[in-house]
Amino acid sequence: MKATPPQTEFHLSRRREDRLLGVGRQALLKAFFGGNAIVAVIVLLLITFFLFREGLSFFPQYRSDMELFRRSGMEYSSIVKQEHNQFNVLLGQLVNIRKQQIETLESKGLSREDIARQTAPMQAYIYSFSDLSLPLRNYQIKVRDLASETYKEAKSNAIEHRDAPGHAHDGHEHEIDYAGTISQIKASFPELTALNNQLENDILRVLREFPELNDPALRSEAESFRQNAIAFAAGLPRYAAALAEASPEQHVGLMESIKAFLFGDHWIVNNNGHSLFGLLPLLTGSLMVTGIAILLAIPFGVGAAIYTNQMARRGESSFIKPCIEFITAIPSVVIGFFGIAVFGTLVREVSQVPWLDWLPGFPVAERLNAFTAGCLLALMAIPTIFTLSEDAINRVPRIYAESSLALGATRFQTTMFIVVPSAISGIVSAVLLGIGRVIGETMVVLLCAGNRIRIPDFTEGPGVAFQPVHTMTGIIAQEMGEVAQGGIHYRALFCVGVVLFLLTLLINFAAQKIFHHTRVGE
């Protein structure tokens, strides 16, 4: 009979098989998985470091650029430009009145010749009103040309020295005659005062010549124009006062550049050599699109989760769940194509139906707007909200529902008053993660939001949803490929990325906190 090997030898043999190059198999597996986790953490840290390094280095550059802008006199030019822009707003109001006049006459079936004859007085009035701004425009161009030459010269000088790191100052730096430019601009201030006095008199005179309008709605628009024009004329002295108060010698602090970025309402690249990087239009567009998406996605996503989990039959559940989850497999660019080719066009066509005129924003002028992008983002957020909400409902202990049913409550009462309130924390975290999903989406908003960099006109009420907007993700995707690496525009886009990163981080952090601290049954 063969003798059984001693147990101690068996263990020693197994230990030898588990080792590779002197390291045990379990230790190797542990090192492999641990290494993967470390690599993921390192990649995340590198991305975060790179994003913040490039993004935060934008502010010193922007501060320097703002200081050059101020010292060269470009700030004076911008004040005069604001006045001219306000005048153009009035002109746009007149053009809109004539457009409505034409549409009204077209709806009555008049011929093109009759429409042209009846709208001729309004057209002539627009021309005469537009001519009032010509002296102001010429003055603004003169000030701008004076300041922009100095600004470009100073900026070129600064770039030349920045491009030579470590270059010792040899005393041959080109001197910029800031004082000479400023003195020339200041010498022209009385000219602007005279122009504004003349403009005020001309506006009040032209208002008395406003053509007669038969349509009551147009008369209301005309009265609104008249009030705005009077207010503009009365406010003209403040532009001369702003010029007098501006101080080109005043130092621009770092905090001022941060405020100009966070609260600036213009994103204009290379405006006579100077760029304005105001985040507010992009932030407003992102929040609007996300808000519309969430308003639509919450009832559909949460409602579908409640129905599928609590009320649907097994066959319905096994059909609905894969269908909703399949939406996540659709590429975002395909959803964007659908928005451009089908959905946006459909909304605009439906909005032209006369009996829908009572709806705010109808008829829709632009097929690509915040509403179109928000609806498509809602479609992308629904699977996230649905899956996580259903998971939260599944976490509710079954004894809760069974006790409620045993006490005589119906299935509907048990679902709405026991199960859903018990899972509400998980549902809220699902909604927050859905927000995080859509606020970082790029392709759909780039294709469907209209990409107009302007704060929407909220005076239109709910109709503001049908205006084109631009978003933070869209501006990064659109402009990053066209900027010079290391330039101020390049770093401004990274700074937008930092704000977006912090927003999504905050949303995800809130969702995780809600989910982990208020879980049912723990």
Side-chain angles (χ1 to χ4, degrees), residues 215-344:
D215 192 332
L218 291 180
R219 284 202 293 271
S220 173
E221 291 287 335
E223 179 59 24
S224 173
F225 164 76
R226 196 180 74 83
Q227 296 294 335
N228 291 338
I230 291 173
F232 173 74
L236 285 175
R238 75 170 183 270
Y239 293 104
L243 286 178
E245 290 175 3
S247 175
E249 298 81 15
Q250 187 178 358
H251 176 69
V252 177
L254 188 61
M255 189 54 68
E256 191 173 347
S257 67
I258 295 173
K259 287 181 179 176
F261 174 74
L262 292 178
F263 304 108
D265 53 3
H266 288 92
W267 182 283
I268 302 173
V269 178
N270 198 17
N271 180 27
N272 294 317
H274 177 65
S275 298
L276 297 174
F277 299 108
L279 183 68
L280 220 48
L282 307 174
L283 182 63
T284 308
S286 291
L287 294 179
M288 268 186 64
V289 172
T290 304
I292 293 169
I294 291 303
L295 282 177
L296 296 173
I298 287 176
F300 283 103
V302 176
I306 293 171
Y307 179 79
T308 305
N309 191 277
Q310 294 290 311
M311 303 173 187
R313 293 190 292 271
R314 184 183 297 273
E316 289 178 314
S317 178
S318 58
F319 174 74
I320 293 172
K321 286 178 67 174
C323 287
I324 293 179
E325 290 167 357
F326 179 74
I327 297 174
T328 56
I330 303 175
S332 59
V333 68
V334 175
I335 295 178
F337 285 158
F338 174 77
I340 291 176
V342 180
F343 187 73

Side-chain angles (χ1 to χ4, degrees), residues 12-292:
L12 286 173
S13 172
R14 184 176 175 183
R15 192 176 296 121
R16 280 196 297 271
E17 289 177 359
D18 286 344
R19 287 182 173 277
L20 180 64
L21 300 176
V23 182
R25 182 180 298 175
Q26 291 187 358
L28 284 173
L29 290 174
K30 185 178 178 181
F32 174 74
F33 291 119
N36 288 342
I38 290 172
V39 168
V41 171
I42 290 174
V43 169
L44 176 63
L45 290 176
L46 284 175
I47 290 174
T48 306
F49 171 75
F50 183 69
L51 181 66
F52 276 82
R53 189 195 67 174
E54 295 292 333
L56 297 183
S57 60
F58 159 75
F59 293 111
Q61 271 186 277
Y62 199 33
R63 187 207 64 77
S64 174
D65 194 61
M66 287 174 64
E67 192 157 278
L68 283 183
F69 183 79
R70 178 173 290 175
R71 292 183 67 192
S72 63
M74 288 289 286
E75 198 170 43
Y76 288 132
S77 174
S78 70
I79 293 172
V80 183
K81 190 176 180 181
Q82 288 173 18
E83 180 181 341
H84 191 252
N85 289 342
Q86 285 300 314
F87 184 89
N88 285 336
V89 170
L90 292 174
L91 193 60
Q93 201 171 356
L94 279 179
V95 173
N96 191 44
I97 290 173
R98 182 172 180 270
K99 181 182 173 186
Q100 292 183 40
Q101 191 181 20
I102 293 173
E103 290 173 351
T104 304
L105 295 175
E106 284 178 341
S107 66
K108 294 178 179 176
L110 270 67
S111 66
R112 182 172 298 179
E113 291 75 16
D114 289 338
I115 292 174
R117 188 176 60 256
Q118 293 197 27
T119 59
M122 194 67 207
Q123 182 64 54
Y125 185 80
I126 291 173
Y127 285 143
S128 63
F129 189 82
S130 174
D131 290 344
L132 299 182
S133 71
L134 290 179
L136 178 65
R137 176 172 172 75
N138 292 335
Y139 176 79
Q140 189 235 327
I141 291 173
K142 184 176 75 174
V143 173
R144 185 200 63 191
D145 289 347
L146 272 173
S148 65
E149 287 298 322
T150 306
Y151 174 74
K152 290 175 183 174
E153 189 180 1
K155 196 167 184 183
S156 174
N157 196 28
I159 292 173
E160 183 181 340
H161 283 267
R162 190 164 59 235
D163 286 343
H167 176 70
H169 194 280
D170 55 7
H172 295 94
E173 184 178 348
H174 181 60
E175 292 292 336
I176 309 298
D177 187 15
Y178 296 110
T181 303
I182 296 299
S183 64
Q184 289 185 64
I185 295 175
K186 283 186 174 180
S188 70
F189 285 177
E191 182 182 349
L192 178 66
T193 304
L195 286 175
N196 281 343
N197 290 336
Q198 183 63 43
L199 182 60
E200 182 179 358
N201 293 331
D202 288 343
I203 288 176
L204 296 178
R205 173 181 56 79
V206 169
L207 283 179
R208 292 193 289 272
E209 302 168 0
F210 200 91
E212 189 67 28
L213 298 172
N214 297 324
D215 192 332
L218 291 180
R219 284 202 293 271
S220 173
E221 291 287 335
E223 179 59 24
S224 173
F225 164 76
R226 196 180 74 83
Q227 296 294 335
N228 291 338
I230 291 173
F232 173 74
L236 285 175
R238 75 170 183 270
Y239 293 104
L243 286 178
E245 290 175 3
S247 175
E249 298 81 15
Q250 187 178 358
H251 176 69
V252 177
L254 188 61
M255 189 54 68
E256 191 173 347
S257 67
I258 295 173
K259 287 181 179 176
F261 174 74
L262 292 178
F263 304 108
D265 53 3
H266 288 92
W267 182 283
I268 302 173
V269 178
N270 198 17
N271 180 27
N272 294 317
H274 177 65
S275 298
L276 297 174
F277 299 108
L279 183 68
L280 220 48
L282 307 174
L283 182 63
T284 308
S286 291
L287 294 179
M288 268 186 64
V289 172
T290 304
I292 293 169

Side-chain angles (χ1 to χ4, degrees), residues 485-500:
Q485 187 173 3
I488 187 170
H489 189 185
Y490 172 83
R491 292 201 164 107
L493 295 175
F494 268 91
C495 207
V496 174
V498 169
V499 174
L500 187 62

Side-chain angles (χ1 to χ4, degrees), residues 387-410:
T387 304
L388 295 176
S389 295
E390 200 201 7
D391 184 57
I393 294 171
N394 276 331
R395 284 174 172 268
V396 177
R398 185 174 298 177
I399 189 67
Y400 287 16
E402 291 175 350
S403 301
S404 174
L405 293 171
L407 290 172
T410 63

